[in-house]
Amino acid sequence: MEESENSSNALPPFSGYSPTGKEKGDLVYVNYGRREDFKLLQSMNVNCSGKIVIARYGRVFRGDKVTNAQKCGAKAILIYNDPHDFAPVSDEDLFPHGWWLPRSGVQRGSILMGTGDPLTPRYPSKDGIYRKSSDEIKMPYIPAHPISAEDAEHFLSLLGGDKAPDDWQGGLQITYRLGPGFTGNYSDWKVEVETNNNHTQRNITNVIAILKGSLEPDRLVLLGNHRDAWVFGGIDPSSGTASLMEIARALGNKYKQGWRPRRSIVLCSWGGEEYGLLGSTEWVEDNVHLLYQRAVAYLNVDSPIRGNYSLYVRASPLLHQVLFNASKQVKNPIDIRQSVYDNWLDKFPAADGLNPKVPPLGSGSDYSPFCQRAGVPSADIRYVFDMYQFHNISAYPTYHSIHDTFYYVKKFVDPQFTTHLAIARIWVSTAFLLAETPVLPINCSDYAVALNKGFHDINTKYGKSLKQKGISLKYLEKAVKKFEDGAENMQSLIANVDLNDPWKLSFINDRLTGLEKNFLNSEGLPGRPLYWHSIFAPSLYNSYASATFPGLHDALVEAVNNGPHNGNWVVVKEELSDTIVAIEWAAQFLKSEV
């Protein structure tokens, strides 16, 4: 362990936004605390109501675990890092000897999904703006606290009740049981959880730097990364901050030599990301109409050096091609005989094998308010470890722990900082193409492919249930076809544009800049009024993941799960209509010649 890790100034483990409280009760093991885990416990007649539950990190956002526990009546929740997910190796390979989290390691983190300052929803959190009281907002209401695998083993090794299912068995050298309560000589013991969190208001600072464009200064290409960390933040976020600072230095040198980009480049250093995307969300809310009119794209990094296996990007379909082209210009840091693109295609191919796989965005970092609230085409760029080999790991092992340090990065992740350099080059190359290319390098046809896939996924999974309720998807299919026609029309205009005609260039670029904003519905999704995007949003049951046609998807999940007679199929019809209209608006926007 490094000397700094013993510092008295190091932040102790806690769960951000957990209420202060003290609860005592029998313990129940709930696996990952997913919705389906609680459902399985219910089917096995294991009652969580009035109990303390213990869940392992992974698979879903930690706040979703708390929400699911609340819904099942639990009084408090403990969350720990199971070795199966964060250290499936012998003790000799644990940090500081290896990459893996020691048994004493604890992951901190917020349990409130990032939608900005919860006291000022929809409005910027600044002087003169009305703030709700804590009683008026939807906050976690049961105590939540993170613990280590060492501490979790003391509890789990004593649990009674039935043996947990085979796929619930973790990496501790015990037989995992469900509870409730302890067994043998400890049968009358209870678990007490006490949290003492101080909910206070604090000021945070965003730092924004603008390199003004020469020909189209009103068009903004934004790059962003957050500065705040749970402890030392060697990877999260300092790997991204170092990359952003190097980009700033390089752009500054070019500016001194007399260069300006065609469009303006905006560098954003966010504060307060770890407490719910505070800095970025409040800035978006303060500048939302400016972004509607002027933003070209937002390119995010957070913890971009999670390994050196391959590039891995989540992005709006509009940005796929520019990301591919940028990655072709950068050498693979591990094998300079190939480009980053070649390695990316080899490691994460799409289903057709023609290009790398680029999943859509969910939530979890500062891109969320840009795409969800302002309709700005966004991307989250990172290098990752071999996720096929370590498929159980949802983040690098020391994520949000005291061991995420500079030493950890240099010793185990990127010793020569070549992957840092590759990320910075991909990031700035993508921005350069977006800022300099006369016709914006945005491809509408990739969005048509994503819409088509979304339609077929809904039809495959829910087509039978919809048919039984007399609900047809034919108009959704027609809307997708209209969008395909509009995309084809736009790509034809791009292919034949006269680059010397400023009016035609402006006509096309205005369409490309404004397209994604057609998908916004300011009423938001059912039960989630701060998520406005009708095509992509975080999954209702895993906020890190993405759902396509999220309003329709959420409504269908709820209607089907509540049974054929109890499900609210009116909401399904409403969300289907909203999705159809949003796609048709976008199709009209692309096809219109006026």
Side-chain angles (χ1 to χ4, degrees), residues 330-445:
V330 181
K331 295 295 184 183
N332 175 15
I334 304 304
D335 182 358
I336 61 172
R337 295 171 298 178
Q338 62 177 184
S339 69
V340 167
Y341 175 87
D342 293 331
N343 184 55
W344 185 16
L345 176 60
D346 178 55
K347 300 296 175 56
F348 294 108
D352 59 11
L354 299 177
N355 281 305
K357 180 181 180 181
V358 185
L361 293 164
S363 190
S365 192
D366 292 303
Y367 56 78
S368 186
F370 284 91
C371 61
Q372 295 297 329
R373 302 284 291 282
V376 179
S378 302
D380 190 50
I381 305 167
R382 65 181 49 165
Y383 245 80
V384 295
F385 50 84
D386 185 347
M387 294 191 291
Y388 293 119
Q389 181 180 357
F390 307 124
H391 63 279
N392 287 316
I393 305 173
S394 56
Y396 61 96
T398 63
Y399 173 71
H400 283 192
S401 79
I402 199 172
H403 308 297
D404 184 6
T405 62
F406 179 82
Y407 171 81
Y408 181 82
V409 175
K410 185 169 176 55
K411 179 70 174 177
F412 301 112
V413 183
D414 191 18
Q416 303 303 318
F417 296 93
T418 52
T419 307
H420 280 76
L421 181 58
I423 277 289
R425 285 173 169 166
I426 294 160
W427 198 7
V428 76
S429 295
T430 306
F432 183 87
L433 291 170
L434 288 162
E436 281 283 75
T437 310
V439 177
L440 285 169
I442 285 175
N443 190 296
C444 304
S445 296

Side-chain angles (χ1 to χ4, degrees), residues 211-221 251 254 258-265 296 431-441 497-507 509:
L211 180 55
K212 196 171 181 179
S214 58
L215 295 178
E216 302 177 53
D218 61 322
R219 297 300 185 195
L220 310 178
V221 177
L251 292 176
K254 283 187 69 68
W259 172 81
R260 281 185 182 272
R262 181 188 184 97
R263 303 177 185 95
S264 296
I265 295 176
V296 171
F432 183 87
L433 291 170
L434 288 162
E436 281 283 75
T437 310
V439 177
L440 285 169
V497 67
D498 179 358
L499 297 180
N500 295 313
D501 186 334
W503 158 245
K504 288 185 178 177
L505 274 179
S506 178
F507 172 84
N509 285 336

